[in-house]
């Protein structure tokens, strides 16, 4: 008999008002992650601007380090902040960190040195480390399996539409004003999100509850790290995000420097690429839910979508070999859009379907460490390959290798038989 995934903590007879509130908060969470990705992607547009590079005297290697700085603190705080949301709830830890990263984004406008730029990016990374563990913790406890693909698709839509809007919006602000005004506007505008979050989200921290009931993980960190499934999810997270973070950090420069687009046209094609993955992610999550709702196995359905996404994304290598600008731009957009087939489904598989509800925050924290390592490695390695190779071809070939590894790991390691059950740790 196939083991059943533990049900989410939804009320047996949910009132219409509660249903509407649940989906509204999900949209609010998607907007929050969208803002976080706009803030982290805005730097990539600045790094393609000549005046910004002159201000800080940045070489290609320097740009790689600046792009990766965000992920140094982001990686370190993933597991601790995953524990925080498991233990203390989502509402207030998220609100505090949200305000902090918006303030740090504003602070970039006032720095005048390379060290100051790195320091502000470290603060942004530290504060944004809470976004994913908090969001997944909330979704795991409010949506059932047959709804999770759609819920994740909406959430992941925010993660992709953020870069889609961030690159062209940042480029436009730089063109009409300057890079300092861009950071000021984006950081200040994000703070508006806090108003509905504080007013509408219920506090899920129960001071009078015993630690085991408040949300202390039922599975220990040692137990999690002994699981081949957990390590498989780390590999898949790294491979997916290596490509995604290359696109967020280096694709604007690639379009300007190797394909000779203007800053304005670069923003337009970056928008199409990230809007494509956002739309495909939303549609693929919904389609997988419909198949699961009709009785198909959730693990097999989500694995099939994930492998297909990695396969289509691997066509990015064709853009490196294209001699025609139009062909190169086509594969640039098509490969990232195709990755959207995997976006909602690999996340639902790795963080909801195969993971006990009581330990989602900590498991997501571990997975986000792998994501953050991808964010550190992709910009630095790409900068190094460009510096010593003279173009982007070898950097794109490395992306192809990681996408193949991600597809193979999904096929052979993400097994239901290796899924963890929280009750296994009970006496």
């Amino acid at each position: 008999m196939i083991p059943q995934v533990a049900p989410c903590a939804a009320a047996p007879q949910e009132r219409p008002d509660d249903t509407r509130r649940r989906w509204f908060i999900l949209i609010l969470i998607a907007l929050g992650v969208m803002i976080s990705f706009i803030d982290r992607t805005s730097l990539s547009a600045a790094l393609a601007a000549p005046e910004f590079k002159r201000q800080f005297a940045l070489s290609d290697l320097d740009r790689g380090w600046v792009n990766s700085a965000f992920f140094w603190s982001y990686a370190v705080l993933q597991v601790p902040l995953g524990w925080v949301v498991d233990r203390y709830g989502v509402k207030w830890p998220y609100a505090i960190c949200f305000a902090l990263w918006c303030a740090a984004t504003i602070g970039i406008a006032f720095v005048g040195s390379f060290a100051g730029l790195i320091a502000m990016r470290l603060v942004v990374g530290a504060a944004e480390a809470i976004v994913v563990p908090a969001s997944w913790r909330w979704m795991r406890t409010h949506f059932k399996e047959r709804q999770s693909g759609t819920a994740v698709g909406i959430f992941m839509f925010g993660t992709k539409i953020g870069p889609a809007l961030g690159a062209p919006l940042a480029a436009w602000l730089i063109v009409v004003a300057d890079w300092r005004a861009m950071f000021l506007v984006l950081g200040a505008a994000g703070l508006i999100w806090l108003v509905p979050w504080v007013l509408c989200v219920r506090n899920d921290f129960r001071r009078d509850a015993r630690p085991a009931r408040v949300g202390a993980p039922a599975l220990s960190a040692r137990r999690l790290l002994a699981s081949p499934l957990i390590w498989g999810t780390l590999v898949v997270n790294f491979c997916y995000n290596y490509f995604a973070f290359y696109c967020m950090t280096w694709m604007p420069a690639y379009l300007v420097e190797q394909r000779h687009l203007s800053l304005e046209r670069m923003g337009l094609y970056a928008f199409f690429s990230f809007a494509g993955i956002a739309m495909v992610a939303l549609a693929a999550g919904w389609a997988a839910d419909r198949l699961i709702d009709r009785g198909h196995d959730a693990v097999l359905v989500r694995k099939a979508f994930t492998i297909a996404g990695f396969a289509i994304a691997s066509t990015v290598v064709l853009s490196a070999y294209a001699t025609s600008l139009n062909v190169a731009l086509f594969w640039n957009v098509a490969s990232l859009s195709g990755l959207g087939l995997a976006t909602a489904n690999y996340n639902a598989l790795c963080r909801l379907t195969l993971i006990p509800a009581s330990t989602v925050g900590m498991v997501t924290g571990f997975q986000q460490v792998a994501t953050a390592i991808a964010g550190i490695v992709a910009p630095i390695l790409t900068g190094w390959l460009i510096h010593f190779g003279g173009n982007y071809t070898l950097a794109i070939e490395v992306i192809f290798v990681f996408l193949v590894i991600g597809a193979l790991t999904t096929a052979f390691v993400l097994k239901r038989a290796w899924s963890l059950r929280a009750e296994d740790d009970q006496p």
Side-chain angles (χ1 to χ4, degrees), residues 5 8 143-149 289 292 298 302 348 352-353:
V5 178
C8 299
F143 291 96
K144 298 179 180 179
E145 177 61 53
R146 66 177 183 269
Q147 303 170 320
S148 63
D289 280 356
I292 294 167
R302 300 206 190 282
L352 302 179
T353 303

Side-chain angles (χ1 to χ4, degrees), residues 233-234 237 350-351 355 362-372:
T233 66
L234 300 185
N237 269 272
C350 294
R351 299 177 180 181
I355 303 301
M362 182 171 282
V363 170
T364 300
F366 281 121
Q367 293 170 352
Q368 283 300 105
V369 171
T371 298

Side-chain angles (χ1 to χ4, degrees), residues 131-154:
V131 175
V132 175
S135 301
W136 285 98
R137 174 71 179 180
W138 192 91
M139 285 189 290
R140 182 62 177 86
T141 55
H142 289 83
F143 291 96
K144 298 179 180 179
E145 177 61 53
R146 66 177 183 269
Q147 303 170 320
S148 63
T150 303
V152 173
I154 292 172

Side-chain angles (χ1 to χ4, degrees), residues 296-314:
H296 295 279
D297 181 77
V299 173
L300 293 180
V301 168
R302 300 206 190 282
K303 285 177 69 170
F305 274 91
T306 300
I307 293 168
F310 278 120
I312 296 175
S314 67

